[in-house]
Amino acid sequence: QVQLVESGGGSVLAGESLRLSCVVSGFTFSDACMAWFRQAPGKEREAVAAIDSDNSRTYADFVKGRFIVSKDVAKTTLYLQMNSLKAEDTAMYYCAANPSYRGMTRPQALGESSYYEWGQGTMVTVSA
């Protein structure tokens, strides 16, 4: 059974940092393309960052060097280090996986339809 379990969300002040984690099971983590998406209240879900099986990383333009996506294969865990948080980063953050596709292009890596395994999300609230 595939499971993606996010944690690490919370309430912080603008300028502070958070690290999100996503522990996965049920598929070969090292072979998967993984990503973080977010959905702000009243808005559509959007891609934040992705990391492929070869550790190649793709970021949404709005990240602008503030976030870092990484993974620990031994722990089957995906991370998102978020620095210099802004009020507009307030959203539910979701972990997503495509366990069987490698070598995604940038549009694929940031496309919601590329992923078919999803976590339940962890909420991040940033106060100005």
Side-chain angles (χ1 to χ4, degrees):
Q1 181 180 0
V2 173
Q3 285 192 314
L4 290 77
V5 181
E6 303 97 332
S7 63
S11 296
V12 297
L13 298 176
E16 294 185 338
S17 299
L18 277 176
R19 188 176 81 157
L20 306 183
S21 300
C22 174
V23 178
V24 309
S25 60
F27 59 88
T28 305
F29 183 68
S30 59
D31 289 345
C33 186
M34 302 294 301
W36 288 99
F37 285 75
R38 71 183 187 182
Q39 187 168 21
K43 295 187 177 181
E44 293 186 353
R45 190 154 56 183
E46 63 180 353
V48 177
I51 183 167
D52 213 326
S53 57
D54 63 355
N55 277 332
S56 58
R57 294 164 170 83
T58 305
Y59 294 98
D61 290 342
F62 65 79
V63 169
K64 294 182 179 179
R66 298 184 299 127
F67 297 176
I68 300 171
V69 62
S70 63
K71 63 183 180 180
D72 186 326
V73 173
K75 296 182 178 179
T76 65
T77 302
L78 177 72
Y79 300 102
L80 184 68
Q81 177 66 42
M82 304 188 294
N83 302 317
S84 303
L85 283 162
K86 306 175 182 179
E88 51 263 43
D89 294 318
T90 294
M92 184 71 79
Y93 284 72
Y94 298 91
C95 173
N98 185 321
S100 58
Y101 195 98
R102 303 183 184 184
M104 288 191 183
T105 63
R106 178 180 172 82
Q108 289 173 324
L110 299 181
E112 188 172 344
S113 62
S114 297
Y115 303 91
Y116 55 88
E117 302 291 354
W118 293 83
Q120 294 301 305
T122 185
M123 187 67 199
V124 172
T125 303
V126 185
S127 301

